[in-house]
Amino acid sequence: MRILLIEDEEFFANMLANVLRQEAYFVDIAADGEEGLYRAIGSNIDYDMILLDLGLPGIDGMTVCKQIREAKPNSRIFILSARGQTFDRVKGLDIGADDYLTKPFPLEELLARMRALLRRMPQSSKPMLGLGQLSLDPSLKKAYVNGKEINLTITEYMLLENLLRKPGITISQEELISKSWDDFGSTLFSTTLRTHIYNLRRKLRHANLNDVSIRTVVNQGYQITLDK
Ligand code: CA
């Protein structure tokens, strides 16, 4: 699951991001409304949930919420705000937030409500992906060979999903890294990518996948192909 956290208080944002990463969420942080809108709407990443502060410099959180909702109606938007007045909570929900939590809040409550929101709004826009004997369930982040689940790390899964979204097309190392890691991991280099690809290939081979290959395209990137 990939989360966008739009929050201008750096200390709180980093603390919350670390907690979420321990729960195996990918987290990107945007420090103001403008960056938040760009990442939510303008970038090529589809976030599973957007955690949104209301008191932001520049574009206000309420406006951000409204614009995201208009541009991407299926987004899950969760407002986290120090504004706990009934008026703000009602307004937040009225302009399209799916849930609202007043700061300060217990982290366990946020995590529980996030899980509830993910369950309540299953992303029907994410059908199964498949190639040959390989199939992926993007909603559950699980991969299968001949219907049998294979045990991948979240990074290996994300690499495989990003390759499988464009079978037969070479994806550059930069694109794979930016889509398969969050901000926290974006300082990773191509050597790290190579290690993950190596492990991924090994696991797929052990699962007896024999009609799909991850190919290295020298100086360009990687592609997944169906072997004839
Ligand atoms: Ca704030």
Side-chain angles (χ1 to χ4, degrees), residues 92-105:
L93 296 170
D94 272 350
I95 60 169
D98 298 298
D99 204 348
Y100 194 115
L101 204 50
T102 304
K103 294 177 192 167
F105 48 80

Side-chain angles (χ1 to χ4, degrees), residues 69-83:
R69 179 59 72 213
E70 279 167 15
K72 290 194 169 176
N74 293 329
S75 302
R76 303 183 182 103
I77 306 174
F78 197 138
I79 292 179
L80 307 176
S81 176
R83 299 186 205 161

Side-chain angles (χ1 to χ4, degrees), residues 50 52 54 60-67 69-70 73 75-81 83-102 113 117 120-121:
I50 294 157
L52 175 65
L54 288 185
D60 182 78
M62 289 282 187
T63 309
V64 172
C65 179
K66 222 167 136 183
Q67 291 193 12
R69 179 59 72 213
E70 279 167 15
S75 302
R76 303 183 182 103
I77 306 174
F78 197 138
I79 292 179
L80 307 176
S81 176
R83 299 186 205 161
Q85 303 292 331
T86 309
F87 169 76
D88 286 309
R89 289 204 306 273
V90 170
K91 191 173 172 218
L93 296 170
D94 272 350
I95 60 169
D98 298 298
D99 204 348
Y100 194 115
L101 204 50
T102 304
R113 289 219 211 169
L117 183 54
R120 195 162 79 234
M121 296 172 61

Side-chain angles (χ1 to χ4, degrees), residues 59-222:
I59 308 170
D60 182 78
M62 289 282 187
T63 309
V64 172
C65 179
K66 222 167 136 183
Q67 291 193 12
I68 295 174
R69 179 59 72 213
E70 279 167 15
K72 290 194 169 176
N74 293 329
S75 302
R76 303 183 182 103
I77 306 174
F78 197 138
I79 292 179
L80 307 176
S81 176
R83 299 186 205 161
Q85 303 292 331
T86 309
F87 169 76
D88 286 309
R89 289 204 306 273
V90 170
K91 191 173 172 218
L93 296 170
D94 272 350
I95 60 169
D98 298 298
D99 204 348
Y100 194 115
L101 204 50
T102 304
K103 294 177 192 167
F105 48 80
L107 288 169
E108 294 75 22
E109 181 171 2
L110 173 65
L111 295 172
R113 289 219 211 169
M114 285 175 67
R115 287 192 296 269
L117 183 54
L118 290 166
R119 277 197 305 272
R120 195 162 79 234
M121 296 172 61
Q123 285 194 324
S124 49
S125 59
K126 289 194 170 178
M128 293 287 283
L129 294 170
L131 189 66
Q133 300 162 335
L134 181 65
S135 55
L136 260 63
D137 186 339
S139 316
L140 298 174
K141 302 267 183 278
K142 287 182 188 296
Y144 308 87
V145 171
N146 289 321
K148 192 163 176 283
E149 189 186 336
I150 43 176
N151 200 0
L152 300 180
T153 65
I154 182 72
T155 303
E156 288 160 0
Y157 172 84
M158 290 303 295
L159 283 172
L160 190 57
E161 180 181 324
N162 287 319
L163 287 165
L164 204 52
R165 288 194 177 279
K166 296 177 182 172
I169 291 174
T170 304
I171 305 182
S172 70
Q173 296 192 350
E174 293 74 26
E175 184 178 347
L176 266 183
I177 288 174
S178 75
K179 285 188 170 174
S180 307
W181 279 279
D182 60 11
D183 288 348
F184 185 64
S186 58
T187 49
L188 290 167
F189 298 107
S190 50
T191 43
T192 321
L193 176 63
R194 271 205 297 277
T195 308
H196 285 289
I197 294 276
Y198 172 85
N199 290 332
L200 184 54
R201 281 181 178 138
R202 185 174 48 83
K203 287 184 181 181
L204 293 175
R205 212 168 39 238
H206 282 188
N208 296 319
L209 177 67
N210 53 32
D211 65 351
V212 172
S213 310
I214 298 172
R215 294 178 192 283
T216 304
V217 184
V218 180
N219 293 331
Q220 291 186 49
Y222 296 93

Side-chain angles (χ1 to χ4, degrees), residues 7-9 53 55-56 103:
E7 168 66 69
D8 61 318
E9 283 157 59
D53 180 32
L56 293 168
K103 294 177 192 167

